[in-house]
Amino acid sequence: MLSYRATLDVPTETVARISGWLQAHRRRGDARPWQRAATCWTQAILVVRWLIEGTDIPVLARDAQISQATGYRYLHEAIDVIAARAPGLPEVLAQGHQEGWEYVCLDGTLIQTSRSSVKSDAGHDLWYSGKHRSHGGNIQVVTDPTGFPVWTSPVEPGSTHDITCARAHALPALYPAAAAGIPTLADKGYTGAGIGIHVPLKGRNLAIDHKARNLLLTGLRAPAERANALFKTGFKALRRITVCPWRIGNIVTAALVILTMHRGRW
């Protein structure tokens, strides 16, 4: 077998910080943390390689000199540890209020998965999105005015509409923020979301002032479209998830934490 050196396009400080989080987690939960099959540094590299490069677990486990079962267990453990560092939406909005944000943007994205045969109570394919014609999980993303993602929701099955997912996870925090002076801009899929959630008006023969309003909203929301691109171009694992689809929420949140670390905010 041929061995060779490779370079991971990630700052060393990122892996070192994740390794520190894992070390603290092991000290809290392990009776004998020194008996682990791999070090915290090795586990940190494993999860970063999986998220950013989409490397298969058999390859990661072989490189770390651990079994595939241990590799999967270390992967999910590290994802949960990283995701736990992300603040909740109320805390994010409170910080944005202090920084003077004029608005935030809300958008949904589908994280594709391998085919799932789980059926809903109504009998249809639970994880299949008719809008995207693909299996996946629905994730709601809140961005700041520059279009950088600041919060991601837990996952809902792909058959769930954006507004339904937003009502469950995002709107309860966005309403108070709108009352405090930070309204939310969204697309037409969120029509009827409520006061403080501004969406373009539907219709063809709109009045000139309504057309102008739609153009303004579209222009303000344009930078938010890059948020989903940041996830799917920077983290190859998010292009198609092959683990349990209910893990998508924590996986995307972990990617958000790493993305924010690279931005220099945390």
Side-chain angles (χ1 to χ4, degrees), residues 1-25:
M1 181 179 294
L2 175 66
S3 298
Y4 66 96
R5 297 179 65 89
T7 301
L8 184 62
D9 189 17
V10 176
T12 305
E13 294 78 7
T14 298
V15 180
R17 180 171 292 187
I18 295 174
S19 178
W21 294 342
L22 291 170
Q23 186 176 27
H25 171 75

Side-chain angles (χ1 to χ4, degrees), residues 47-54 234-238 251 254-255 258:
V47 68
V48 170
R49 286 182 63 192
W50 185 82
L51 280 170
I52 294 179
E53 295 188 337
F235 300 90
K236 292 182 180 179
L238 298 183
I251 292 171
I258 294 176

Side-chain angles (χ1 to χ4, degrees), residues 57 61 65-73:
I57 285 295
Q65 299 182 353
I66 56 178
S67 67
Q68 289 189 31
T70 302
Y72 276 108
R73 187 170 67 252

Side-chain angles (χ1 to χ4, degrees), residues 204-229:
R204 294 184 178 181
N205 300 318
L206 297 175
I208 188 67
D209 53 342
H210 291 165
K211 291 182 180 180
R213 178 182 181 275
N214 285 0
L215 287 174
L216 287 172
L217 288 176
T218 302
L220 291 173
R221 285 189 59 255
E225 297 297 332
R226 77 183 184 103
N228 296 333

Side-chain angles (χ1 to χ4, degrees), residues 113-266:
T113 67
S114 301
R115 181 177 295 273
S116 175
S117 59
V118 178
K119 300 295 183 181
S120 68
D121 295 337
H124 63 263
D125 198 337
L126 185 64
W127 291 92
Y128 183 77
S129 170
K131 175 182 176 181
H132 298 89
R133 298 183 179 181
S134 177
H135 287 80
N138 187 320
I139 292 291
Q140 298 297 297
V141 181
V142 174
T143 70
D144 63 16
T146 68
F148 191 87
V150 293
W151 177 83
T152 57
S153 73
V155 68
E156 292 290 344
S159 60
T160 308
H161 293 286
D162 282 337
I163 191 170
T164 303
C165 188
R167 283 172 175 157
H169 302 294
L171 296 184
L174 293 175
Y175 288 145
I182 305 180
T184 300
L185 309 185
D187 59 30
K188 295 179 181 179
Y190 297 89
T191 300
I195 297 175
I197 313 300
H198 300 290
V199 300
L201 298 173
K202 294 182 179 180
R204 294 184 178 181
N205 300 318
L206 297 175
I208 188 67
D209 53 342
H210 291 165
K211 291 182 180 180
R213 178 182 181 275
N214 285 0
L215 287 174
L216 287 172
L217 288 176
T218 302
L220 291 173
R221 285 189 59 255
E225 297 297 332
R226 77 183 184 103
N228 296 333
L230 288 174
F231 282 122
K232 295 181 181 180
T233 59
F235 300 90
K236 292 182 180 179
L238 298 183
R239 298 176 185 177
R240 180 171 291 273
I241 296 295
T242 56
V243 298
C244 174
W246 287 111
R247 297 288 299 159
I248 292 176
N250 274 12
I251 292 171
V252 177
T253 303
L256 173 65
V257 171
I258 294 176
L259 190 64
T260 309
M261 289 168 58
H262 291 173
R263 193 188 190 192
R265 187 184 183 107
W266 291 349

